[in-house]
Amino acid sequence: MEIIKSLVFSALLISTATGTTESKRLNYWLYCRNYNLIKKNLLDSATASDFIIGKRDSEVELLDNRDRAVGTFVKKGNKMLFSSLEKARYDIAVKTCVYRNLQLLALERPEEINEIYLSRINEYEDPEFLWTSAAPCSKSDPLDAKTKSCSSVTWCSSDVATRLDYTLYLGRFSPPYCMIYRRSSRQLEPTNCTFEASFFCEMPCSKPKCPLTDECIKDDSLFEVTKGKSFLKSGNKFGGKWIRSSHNVSYFLGEKQVDWNENWKTCCSLGLKPIALTDSLTNQFDRADSPMQGLVYWTAMTRADCPFEFENCFHSNATEPFSIPTIHGVFQEGSCVAVTVRDPSAKVYLGYRLAVKTTACTSKLLLACEGPVQTFRMKKRKINCKLPACTGIAECVMDDSNFLTQPFRVLLVPQRFGNWTISCSHSFLELPNEYGTWDEAYTRCCSLGMDLLSFQNPIKQHCLANPPKAVKPPEGQFWTSGRDLNACRGKLRWCTGYLNDFLKKDLIWKAGEHPDSANNSCVYVDLSKPKMSGLALADCSEKKKILCEAPAGVGYKLQVPALFCRKIYMVKEAEAYTLWNSGDLSQAGSGAKKMVQCLAEFAGLFYSSTKINKQIYLNMVSKIIASTIDLQKMFAIMTNKRDWFRTYKETYGEQKVQNMIEDMSKNTMEDFYLEPFQLGTELINKLDDCSATPDSGEATFAFGFVQCLLQSKELQRFWKAYNYQSDLFSVIPAQDEISSPCLKFQNYLQNTFLCIPPAILAQIGDSGPFISSVPINVQKVNTSSYTACLERRGSLPYAETKEMFFQLYSFFRSVAPNLTIIWDQAFFSSNDRVFAWCRSDLNPFNPSDRVPVPIAVKGAAPTKDPLMLISLPGPKPNLRVVSATEELLYQTDVFCRFPQPVVTECTANNSMPEWAYWPY
């Protein structure tokens, strides 16, 4: 792979392996004769195979036994240098650079010294001495014959003279003069040419080619002034957002796709410049909630005509450094530099999330500009009736009193709200005896974390009216989420949290109903007739029944609908998994293609079957941040290679072997960090091309879009890099918990493998239950009283007998006399007129375990609201039922009870690792 990259990269290099005019150009300053002679002799005798183009494979580098110093490429300031990792004589330093089509370092700019020593050359030392291409004196400051001194140098590699603020004395030396830079004195000094020192090699070019500053011109015709404020004219499609930094810089991150030239021209026309890669940019965007995360934006930086030198064009006066030590893709093609922000793993391994990479300048990436001030405002966009967004309706807000909110949000005791129907891989909740206007129905379902009904296709209509035989279907007229808007009359759309689409033409309407007649209307479904489901229009202020829905299953937003989409198109599970894991869509059948369309529509990515929602697409691209590379497997391969490299220590020397090991590690991590960058770049670059996918019908358009994306080798199985955990998690419990008055909070626990530390386990009597000897601090571990014990594979305490209740109460009071004791979940059995324990550690619904002591009822009736059994402080055992409160749920410490198998596992020879014992 590295050899291929080098071949591609070779086209960027100014000098070639055979020695061009540039590489043979010699400096005829008197004291550069030695430098010239070494270089000329090498060029005259070398063959094309002697030269190294770019960066070579680690193994090739190791097995090269020619007389060249070992080294690696490092970033210093805004340039890439080849750095020696071993000391060498002057002639070896010059030859090593020439062999790599580079030249020995010339410190023409004073600030280069600071850039060189910003970071260490390698992990072993900071070099005190560096070879340079300097020769003493210059044509304008020749050697003084009397004092044998001068105060200038000529850089033999570039034919540039530099005046010094100190004097060079050459009396103790005779030609040829070789010069080192001494770090401690911060001066150049002549020294013996056989002295061994570290060195750097650089490109022979001086700087990259940037557009002329005079070409950066603001286009005043793009703006209009209203009440003294400058606005972008509405006809200009520059969607984006302004971000003001603490460094007095305003950034504009756009939604427009542009190439590098279009980016700087657009920025200039807006009175701005393309963003400069500096530490200020890093400080602003290198964070977890960065607006750049996963998305790829152009910068002002280029290396055009000078592959190892980088410059922020249009920022010639800027002196601020860019300290991030890596520019990815330097040895690949592409002269322009783009930036993104990576996932948290990058922070762990590198110490920063911001990532920059060389990219082909013709790539279509996102617009990004900066300026000292915000140069314009964008007028509030009018409602775009061509998009299915639901604007101007009530905000969808969950009512926290209906939920457990830590560690995850989940609906508490769902059965208390009404009658549930599980059908079509959806959970439907009919709110009995509740009628409301469309707005009231919408708000009510939102308060429960659900949506009003929507029908993506007629299959779901049929499914709702014809549920499984044992399930009674809802009856009556129910509001759906469908409606048009006052500003977009006649354009019916679904207003849900997961489906952003217009109503499709193949839906089933009641006889005589004409959807085209919608005029600020709302859609209801008539389920009055058995096995019939017809849609109809009504005035939104009418009162109708309320039926809420949510995709069945527990998971993140894009995971939950998968079962529904697979089942309605009768795709076998094995076929779906094959498509997912292989990425080979060539064998996909008709059902699988429609399944992909279904999933894309559920994600809100496509509407009207063939239209892509660009904002949602970019939002999804921003979550393509996880690497599909198996790091453990990579590290195993690296370990084996290290062992193989080490067998060559005697032949090639420890320094060279160690250098190759470090170089191999860099290459491996480069691939790891480049993958999400390349995914994001290609997904943005291919958007327009694949949006015009030919030969794809409406039912399978999304499949054609995905197939188009997969034509790019960088996008193979790109969905595996999607960070699903960045999406919202479903708030409706699993099916077996929906109908139960007790919850085990399956899938809603932070962990299910933790242990209580053996030191705080206690047993009641010789054969009684095991309990925690101290209460667990719920707030400290960011959980709830319901879940704290379940996460340690126990439960809140319960008692099978009155005697056991008294024993537990006595123990708890001896430890925490003032604590409100929270007991395990219980429910009121209306048939038996008794309370029963849930015993949530064993069975969330076990009516045989009755609560053995009388319960005092205070507050809400026993069948209303989430209930908790508690004991108030006091010497006398007591038990009462109360409604759950914030204090009881999230601020009250709890005791736990543990089953014998869990205690045995957690105490057996301290077998659990230390991290498994959570704080208490």
Side-chain angles (χ1 to χ4, degrees), residues 573-641:
E573 187 175 11
E575 182 183 1
Y577 275 116
T578 298
L579 291 175
W580 171 266
N581 290 319
S582 70
D584 181 8
L585 305 187
S586 60
Q587 303 302 314
S590 174
K593 293 178 181 179
K594 292 177 181 178
M595 176 187 71
V596 173
Q597 181 78 24
C598 174
L599 286 169
E601 291 175 353
F602 258 110
L605 185 58
F606 282 88
Y607 64 94
S608 296
S609 300
T610 61
K611 304 259 187 323
I612 191 165
N613 190 317
K614 184 175 180 180
Q615 287 186 325
I616 291 179
Y617 181 83
L618 292 178
N619 180 267
M620 293 178 70
V621 172
S622 74
K623 299 173 183 177
I624 302 282
I625 55 178
S627 177
T628 61
I629 294 175
D630 187 337
L631 268 184
Q632 289 187 335
K633 184 177 180 179
M634 285 176 62
F635 287 145
I637 294 172
M638 286 168 58
T639 299
N640 292 335
K641 281 194 173 184

Side-chain angles (χ1 to χ4, degrees), residues 6 319 345-346 388 425 480 554 560 615 650 676 684 719 736 798:
S6 295
T319 58
S345 68
S425 301
T480 74
V554 177
V560 175
Q615 287 186 325
E650 292 186 6
I684 295 171
W719 50 82
D736 59 348
Y798 59 87

Side-chain angles (χ1 to χ4, degrees), residues 341-398:
V341 172
R342 277 233 29 199
D343 61 306
S345 68
K347 190 79 171 180
V348 173
Y349 289 106
L350 286 179
Y352 49 87
R353 288 187 173 94
L354 200 77
V356 294
K357 178 185 177 294
T358 56
T359 306
C361 302
T362 54
S363 297
K364 293 286 188 177
L365 304 181
L366 295 176
L367 175 75
C369 312
E370 70 168 68
V373 296
Q374 181 175 334
T375 56
F376 64 90
R377 291 171 169 81
M378 289 179 288
K379 290 185 175 180
K380 188 175 182 180
R381 291 181 179 178
K382 295 180 180 179
I383 295 175
N384 186 350
C385 293
K386 294 181 180 180
L387 295 177
C390 292
T391 54
I393 64 175
E395 186 179 358
C396 190
V397 179
M398 297 185 202

